[in-house]
Amino acid sequence: MKKERGAGSGERGTKGIECGPQVERAGTGRLADLKAMLDARGLSPRKSLGQNFLLDTNFAAAVAREAGADARTLLLEVGPGTGFLTRALLDAHPTARVLAIELDRGLVELLRDRFSGEIASNRLTLLEGDALDGKHGLDADWLAEADRIAQSEGRSRRVLCANLAYNMATPLIANLLLGAQASCPPESFANGGASRTAGPQPAQRMVQRIVATVQLELAERLVGKPSTNDYGPLSIFASLCASARIVRKVGAEVFWPRPHVHSAVLRIDLPPWFETPFTPEEAASFLEFLHRVFGQRRKTLRAVLKGALPSDHPLAGARAEDVSPTELLGFFRSPLVLKCSATRQPARSVIPRSARRRSG
């Protein structure tokens, strides 16, 4: 992997969404400057990478502030594009370090020139490549570089702040929700109540916060409530092991080319695993269970589990979409579900089936 890398800032689907009163409109855009910057290098938005470039500096500054970074923070940006959000992150958080990863080689060259001073002074590290390893994992070199910076500079807090292409937003967020750091500096546990002595430490999250501009549809799925169409494995999992909310809705005007849908700024705060109801290992199994019971969301739990539940069980006649996250977790841990685990079909991905259909 080359140190100059991301996955373009992204187009978010094809379905139109009416703009309500909460949708933020663009301020003074810089479309002419953006086009001139790209034209000078013979570059243009690549549909294959879902590139819709951020062009509103006021909006970029607002997103950067939401990251809440300080001197112990490593900011991770995926798909910096032409660098509007990168610039905002560097300006808003002068003591933080930014690790950006970009897939488009032409944009990597542009970013290298635009931020040559910040790269030379180690305020910014730029990698060329893809943050995802397929759709089922994260790139090992990207994670290794994040580990190296975090440990060498004592940056115990990691925040993903990015304008994400929709074709990679779902798998990236799902993998970050599910994953744990392989290694972590002891000082990162200073505020978590864990021991700072040598030896094994409790698993930490890969990031402690996610601030991402994504398609509005995805944001609404991540905060979906029971008995709604947005409620599913991703929203259930996020509600139990994180705190997710939509910060603001965003009109198409802040991007070029304009996407055909509206977007939203999504913020997810992730506590250490020991503050969640399960371990990383149990989390993976629980997510497989959720995929199973939501794979046929209109069927009752008794029907999905092939009659493993007695007819008089409180949840026998319920559909998964109508059961709360805590009830589903308790049900997952019950002897009745464990009894039928031998017939459980393992999920092939942490990504919801509907998201796989919509993704690139």
Side-chain angles (χ1 to χ4, degrees):
M1 173 178 292
K2 298 180 181 178
K3 281 194 180 179
E4 286 112 33
R5 272 167 121 178
S9 28
E11 186 166 336
R12 297 172 176 82
T14 58
K15 185 173 65 175
I17 299 177
E18 288 301 317
C19 179
Q22 292 181 315
V23 175
E24 178 164 321
R25 297 296 187 179
T28 303
R30 296 186 176 181
L31 182 55
D33 292 342
L34 176 61
K35 287 183 175 180
M37 185 189 308
L38 294 172
D39 288 345
R41 295 175 175 270
L43 301 175
S44 61
R46 295 172 61 183
K47 190 173 182 179
S48 62
L49 295 181
Q51 289 176 340
N52 296 83
F53 298 123
L54 187 61
L55 57 83
D56 189 303
T57 54
N58 294 327
F59 173 69
V63 174
R65 288 193 297 270
E66 196 68 33
D70 58 20
R72 59 193 184 93
T73 302
L74 173 61
L75 290 165
L76 305 174
E77 186 184 8
V78 174
T82 58
F84 271 64
L85 182 56
T86 312
R87 179 77 272 159
L89 289 169
L90 291 165
D91 290 347
H93 309 293
T95 61
R97 173 81 115 89
V98 179
L99 171 60
I101 179 169
E102 173 58 57
L103 183 58
D104 188 317
R105 178 163 295 179
L107 292 177
V108 169
E109 296 298 326
L110 184 155
L111 292 165
R112 183 193 294 139
D113 291 344
R114 185 177 180 186
F115 296 100
S116 58
E118 289 82 356
I119 293 172
S121 63
N122 283 330
R123 290 199 62 206
L124 170 66
T125 296
L126 181 61
L127 303 178
E128 179 186 347
D130 195 339
L132 288 173
D133 181 7
K135 288 189 176 179
H136 313 314
L138 301 173
D139 181 76
D141 291 339
W142 178 51
L143 296 178
E145 182 65 10
D147 276 342
R148 186 194 67 77
I149 295 172
Q151 295 191 41
S152 65
E153 299 182 10
R155 298 189 183 273
S156 56
R157 184 170 178 267
R158 303 184 198 189
V159 175
L160 176 81
C161 189
N163 173 43
L164 296 177
Y166 185 55
N167 60 4
M168 59 88 67
T170 302
L172 178 66
I173 291 174
N175 278 289
L176 289 174
L177 283 173
L178 189 63
Q181 289 182 34
S183 59
C184 191
E187 57 266 31
S188 66
F189 297 93
N191 297 321
S195 171
R196 296 180 53 139
T197 59
Q201 301 286 355
Q204 291 291 290
R205 310 301 282 269
M206 287 183 177
V207 295
Q208 283 69 52
R209 178 174 294 175
I210 297 170
V211 179
T213 307
V214 298
Q215 185 178 8
L216 179 59
E217 180 185 356
L218 170 59
E220 290 176 335
R221 284 211 320 271
L222 271 156
V223 298
K225 303 301 181 185
S227 303
T228 67
N229 290 334
D230 294 320
Y231 189 61
L234 208 53
S235 55
I236 292 167
F237 192 74
S239 71
L240 289 171
C241 70
S243 174
R245 65 183 177 91
I246 294 175
V247 176
R248 69 190 73 194
K249 298 178 182 179
V250 187
E253 298 85 354
V254 302
F255 305 102
W256 179 76
R258 291 189 179 191
H260 299 294
V261 298
H262 290 295
S263 304
V265 178
L266 179 71
R267 172 171 160 176
I268 307 174
D269 290 295
L270 297 88
W273 276 113
F274 63 81
E275 293 181 10
T276 71
F278 32 55
T279 64
E281 294 74 23
E282 187 184 26
S285 297
F286 179 55
L287 199 51
E288 289 181 3
F289 166 75
L290 291 176
H291 281 299
R292 185 180 185 202
V293 297
F294 275 89
Q296 305 173 75
R297 63 185 298 144
R298 302 305 299 167
K299 288 190 175 183
T300 65
L301 289 172
R302 188 167 189 265
V304 172
L305 297 177
K306 311 296 184 184
L309 291 181
S311 58
D312 60 349
H313 189 279
L315 295 179
R319 298 185 178 97
E321 62 185 12
D322 297 320
V323 183
S324 72
T326 52
E327 286 179 306
L328 282 168
L329 179 59
F331 182 53
F332 164 71
R333 289 171 168 165
S334 69
L336 288 170
V337 173
L338 295 175
K339 180 180 178 181
C340 67
S341 61
T343 62
R344 184 183 306 154
Q345 296 298 317
R348 295 183 179 182
S349 170
V350 300
I351 307 164
R353 185 176 301 172
S354 58
R356 295 204 299 273
R357 286 200 301 269
R358 283 188 285 267
S359 296

